[in-house]
Every structure is written in structure tokens, then in C-alpha cells.
Amino acid sequence: MKLLTLLPLLASTSLACAGTIKQQDDIRSLPITRNGTTLILNKKPWKAVGANVYWLGLDENVSPRSPDQPYYAPTKATYPTQGRITEIMAVVKAMGGTMIRSHTLGISVGNPLSLWPAPDQTNEAAFAPIDWAVYQARVYGLRLMVPLIDNFDYYHGGKYTFLRWAGFNLTGKESSNPQVQQFYNNKTIVNMVKRYISVLLTHKNPYTNLTYAEDPTIFAIETGNELNGPVWGDMNVPTKWVREIGQHVKGLAPRKLFVDGTYGVNRTHFAVDEVDIFSNHYYPVSIDKLKKDLNTLSTVDKPYFAGEYGWLGNAASADANLTAWFRELEASPKVIGDTFWSLFGHNVPDCDTFVEHSDGFTMQYGNPAHAAQIKLVRQHFVKMSKGLSIADDETLPSVPCPAPTAR
Ligand SMILES: *[C@@H]1O[C@H](CO)[C@@H](O)[C@H](O)[C@H]1NC(C)=O
Ligand SMILES: *[C@@H]1O[C@H](CO)[C@@H](O)[C@H](O)[C@H]1NC(C)=O
Ligand SMILES: *[C@@H]1O[C@H](CO)[C@@H](O)[C@H](O)[C@H]1NC(C)=O
Ligand SMILES: *[C@@H]1O[C@H](CO)[C@@H](O)[C@H](O)[C@H]1NC(C)=O
Ligand SMILES: *[C@@H]1O[C@H](CO)[C@@H](O)[C@H](O)[C@H]1NC(C)=O
Ligand SMILES: *[C@@H]1O[C@H](CO)[C@@H](O)[C@H](O)[C@H]1NC(C)=O
């Protein structure tokens, strides 16, 4: 694949001649920093807009291609191909995105394909897709937000995996058992989680020779995904835990932004200096809920990120109006970005078949059934990140499959 075929995707960046490619590389090596409620890249405000692509480190949606491909049948876990990872970077770029939020770049515990199949046992093979994703994000000029712990008990592991490792016999079905708070309060578990984070952040990526802690491609580390206590929506994540994890992350990676992954804005966490960004999720999109969150946040000089929202809102329904939702995000000075839930691509190297996922929120770039919303998403990303308006009759940029791995 020739470089030139990719250029239309990058029309508004300065990749037109060899001299500016170096400049792009330099920008990719700069960290995203925060000044009050503004994120900054290269002395200019920067917005974090893009997709949730939860499967970059480990997937559950594709059958193994051959008997020798690593596969964990009980949860259907497989590693995504390099081609799938690269294609999704090209798609997010084509949509005008600047970043991706991806659970399995950081959450990977408890099955034989995980980073930690068992406590303190690192499975080096699990780093391969993560290394490739971090490298390809850099190639495409995208940044990554990486959650560390999942609140639930899915194929990639999370809170319950650590609880079971510490001898608490709980599954996601026992989410209301008060013992789940041992995850945050028990020193044995907290120390185990900190060792896991150290293994992740000090891993050196062979494609870049940078550790994940060093590589500014990973611009943000999030405590976790939708973290709660024993009552749904209680936001009961102890302040002490948020602070301890934040200090640990910033101790290893001082230039990363730290995101509070509590499911909602818990004002007791305003006391934690380490937190750079607060966030919430929206199913369906809700301007009322967004306004409440921003109002809660009005007493603190920190920005807001809408980490997940269902993209199925449509212009014919006033209560899940995607257009109105995007205008609201664009108009709020505290909002530094958002990532819709969730993006899939082709089953590369099979470029004729899209990967399907069963939660009803699978967006596929190039699927005609999703084109109307994809157009709104692209208009929103470009508006947020560049302040530019895209005409309604624009043809969506095409993305080759397989997508080029280098430029
Ligand atoms: C941070 O923002 C404030 C005002 O919002 C501005 O006065 C200051 O110069 C900024 N600092 C940096 C380092 O950009
Ligand atoms: C913490 O968990 C360990 C098991 O890993 C257990 O022995 C200990 O009693 C727990 N601590 C508290 C305070 O419950
Ligand atoms: C764990 O709990 C389940 C029921 O929830 C029970 O069937 C199982 O025997 C328990 N395992 C241990 C090791 O206690
Ligand atoms: C990484 O470092 C090793 C050892 O210095 C070197 O051989 C290799 O070429 C480097 N790789 C990259 C991508 O810079
Ligand atoms: C917020 O976090 C604190 C722990 O710091 C917890 O006690 C409280 O239940 C949480 N939820 C709300 C709504 O404040
Ligand atoms: C959706 O929001 C847009 C922008 O505010 C508005 O123009 C449109 O009328 C809304 N659609 C419905 C059905 O409410």
C-alpha cells in the first residue's frame, strides 16, 4: 500500500512533504499535558475524541483461524490480528478522531491468554497485540486512554479476578455482597493491583523501545471501567484507593494524565490531586445527565470526558438526539472529549466480513446501515478537534483494507 493513498485521510494535517513528516513524529513524541480544564499538545489546546475499541489487547468475537492459534474456549478469548488493529487505527483517523479508549490494553487478568493468567505470573505473549496497538496508534498519530480494572466479571478479567485471587469466592453475580469492597480496602489486594500496574507500565515495547510509562502515545491511564461499590450506581470507590493508585501510576509515569474511572462524578474524589480528568457513561445519551455532571464539577478546576455513550441515538427521537448531544459536548468548555461505544472493523485479513458483537452497539465503518451516525460522529470529532464544520453532503473518506502499517 502506497503512502499517497492515505493522504486524503490526513488532508488537514501537514504531511504533504518529507520535512513535515519529521515534524509530525516530533509532535507524536510530545506528551499531552493539562492546564486547568484544558488539555494541551504542542502549546495548543487538544481534544480527546474517538472511539471505544475494547478488544485491542484481547478479543472475544472471532473464532480461531487455525488449531494452533491461541484460544481460550470458555470465554472465546483470542488475540486480535495485527491487520484488525491497524485497520481500526486507519478508521478512527478517517473519522477525524484523535484517540481511542481501550479496556484490554490495560485490563487483562485471569485467563490463560491474559497478561496475568495468575497473580504475579506474566504471560509475555499477551503483550504482543498491545505492543502492536500502541505502535500503530503512534504511526497514525492517535493517542490512547487505558483503563486498569474492570468493575465486572467479563472475559478480560477485573475486580472479581483479584478478589478471587485473594481468596474471596465471588463472581460478578455477587456484585451486591459487601465483601466486594475488599477490592479497594484490602492491603493484600491493593498491593497485588499495584504490582500488576508496575508490570504493565514498565513493559518495553519492541516496536518503539519505549516502556508504556514512557510512551506519550498512551496519554491517559484510567483507574478502571465503571467502578462502583456493592450498590449499582453508588460511586462507592474509596478516595484513599483512588489516591493510592494515582500516586502509584504517577510515580511510574509522571507525564500521564490520570482519569477517575468511577462510574460517575464522585465529589469526594475532588480531594485527590492526582486525578486530572473526571468522567461518566451514557446509555442512552442524555444532555440532562451531562449537565448534572458538569454542574457537580463546577467547583473544581478539572476537565470532563464522556468515556462511553450509545451511538444509536437518532435525529427522529428527541430523547436520544445524537446531534443535540454532540452540540452540547462541543459547547461546554469543561468537556475535553468523548468516546462512543463501540467500534469494530473487518475480520482482517478477511476484508469482506465485519466482526460482529452482541451488545447492540457495534459500529462498523463502511456498513451502510451505520453511515448516517458515522457522518454525525465525524462532523463532531472534526468540530471538537479542529473547530471545523464538515458539510452534510461530504463523502466519507475511504479506508483501505488491509490498511498500511507504516507511513
Ligand atoms: C494556563 O491557563 C491560564 C489561564 O487559563 C493561563 O494564564 C496560563 O498562561 C496557562 N499556562 C500555561 C503553561 O499554558
Ligand atoms: C485481606 O485479604 C486477605 C486474603 O488475601 C485476608 O487474609 C485478610 O484477612 C484480608 N484483610 C482484611 C482486613 O479483611
Ligand atoms: C464458591 O462459591 C460457590 C457458590 O457461589 C460454591 O459452589 C463453591 O463451592 C465455592 N468455592 C469455594 C472454594 O468455596
Ligand atoms: C531497540 O533497541 C535495540 C537494542 O539497542 C536495537 O537493536 C533495536 O534496533 C531498537 N529498536 C528500535 C525500534 O529502535
Ligand atoms: C463517593 O466516594 C466515597 C468514598 O470516598 C463514598 O463513601 C461515597 O459513597 C461515594 N458516593 C457518593 C455518591 O458520594
Ligand atoms: C435534534 O437536535 C437538533 C440540534 O439541536 C435539532 O435541530 C433537532 O430538531 C433535534 N431533533 C429532534 C427530533 O428533536
Side-chain angles (χ1 to χ4, degrees):
M1 188 57 58
K2 277 167 62 190
L3 172 71
L4 275 177
T5 58
L6 197 66
L7 280 174
L9 310 183
L10 304 160
S12 48
T13 68
S14 50
L15 258 181
C17 68
T20 55
I21 287 176
K22 180 156 191 314
Q23 187 195 338
Q24 282 282 319
D25 283 344
D26 291 345
I27 288 172
R28 285 166 208 182
S29 297
L30 294 176
I32 309 290
T33 58
R34 179 175 71 85
N35 179 16
T37 58
T38 309
L39 301 189
I40 312 271
L41 171 60
N42 200 21
K43 304 194 177 76
K44 292 191 280 280
W46 182 82
K47 299 284 185 177
V49 284
N52 278 281
V53 185
Y54 76 82
W55 47 265
L56 289 174
L58 191 63
D59 193 24
E60 54 168 346
N61 299 290
V62 163
S63 307
R65 264 160 237 285
S66 64
D68 59 330
Q69 187 186 356
Y71 181 54
Y72 183 58
T75 62
K76 302 197 168 107
T78 54
Y79 297 125
T81 60
Q82 291 192 343
R84 285 182 64 198
I85 293 169
T86 300
E87 186 202 34
I88 223 68
M89 301 298 164
V91 165
V92 171
K93 196 77 194 173
M95 293 178 85
T98 62
M99 51 75 72
I100 285 170
R101 178 174 179 266
S102 180
H103 292 48
T104 56
L105 295 182
I107 305 166
S108 182
V109 287
N111 82 61
L113 302 194
S114 307
L115 279 181
W116 265 20
D120 297 292
Q121 289 178 29
T122 302
N123 167 24
E124 293 294 331
F127 278 118
I130 303 176
D131 286 335
W132 183 253
V134 172
Y135 168 55
Q136 290 292 284
R138 171 181 273 263
V139 165
Y140 278 84
L142 298 170
R143 306 285 177 141
L144 300 167
M145 181 182 288
V146 175
L148 299 170
I149 300 292
D150 192 37
N151 187 65
F152 309 107
D153 205 3
Y154 295 146
Y155 76 102
H156 45 55
K159 189 166 93 173
Y160 294 93
T161 315
F162 285 97
L163 281 163
R164 287 191 291 269
W165 283 345
F168 297 95
N169 185 19
L170 297 169
T171 70
K173 292 194 180 77
E174 282 96 27
S175 62
S176 57
N177 186 321
Q179 283 206 322
V180 297
Q181 290 305 83
Q182 292 268 351
F183 175 77
Y184 306 112
N185 296 324
N186 187 303
K187 212 169 170 39
T188 306
I189 299 183
V190 174
N191 285 338
M192 197 174 358
V193 168
K194 283 161 74 176
R195 292 197 302 278
Y196 173 74
I197 295 169
S198 297
V199 167
L200 179 73
L201 292 183
T202 59
H203 169 76
K204 190 188 265 198
N205 186 341
Y207 297 111
T208 60
N209 275 348
L210 297 173
T211 65
Y212 295 162
E214 290 165 339
D215 192 340
T217 306
I218 300 174
F219 80 102
I221 298 286
E222 187 175 13
T223 49
N225 175 61
E226 300 186 351
L227 295 176
N228 262 325
V231 177
W232 180 252
D234 63 5
M235 298 191 274
N236 194 351
V237 179
T239 305
K240 181 174 181 290
W241 183 83
V242 177
R243 180 178 291 117
E244 190 165 348
I245 299 301
Q247 287 175 351
H248 186 64
V249 167
K250 294 223 168 179
L252 293 161
R255 301 179 98 177
K256 301 265 187 262
L257 300 176
F258 188 62
V259 186
D260 183 354
T262 303
Y263 200 167
V265 181
N266 183 329
R267 59 178 88 231
T268 71
H269 298 177
F270 294 172
V272 182
D273 289 342
E274 285 73 17
V275 173
D276 291 293
I277 299 168
F278 289 92
S279 125
N280 203 353
H281 297 176
Y282 300 83
Y283 296 96
V285 297
S286 163
I287 290 173
D288 282 350
K289 185 172 157 186
L290 175 66
K291 283 184 168 161
K292 279 198 192 102
D293 286 333
L294 291 171
N295 188 48
T296 305
L297 217 58
S298 62
T299 59
V300 68
D301 191 28
K302 296 201 175 162
Y304 185 76
F305 181 76
E308 292 183 15
Y309 54 90
W311 60 271
L312 290 164
N314 72 72
S317 123
D319 58 346
N321 184 335
L322 205 55
T323 306
W325 166 251
F326 286 148
R327 293 303 87 82
E328 194 69 29
L329 290 167
E330 289 154 19
S332 308
K334 276 211 164 193
V335 175
I336 47 90
D338 56 86
T339 36
F340 69 85
W341 185 270
S342 96
L343 187 65
F344 284 83
H346 290 105
N347 194 7
V348 192
D350 172 2
C351 284
D352 297 323
T353 314
F354 282 119
V355 175
E356 301 289 346
H357 178 60
S358 58
D359 70 357
F361 292 104
T362 303
M363 182 190 280
Q364 297 152 334
Y365 193 80
N367 181 339
H370 305 164
Q373 282 99 340
I374 289 171
K375 183 168 286 189
L376 294 180
V377 170
R378 178 168 147 79
Q379 287 175 336
H380 166 62
F381 286 175
V382 171
K383 187 81 189 171
M384 281 284 279
S385 64
K386 301 196 170 82
L388 299 175
S389 299
I390 287 183
D392 285 336
D393 63 358
E394 183 212 46
T395 305
L396 287 169
S398 64
V399 175
C401 182
T405 58
R407 301 199 317 225

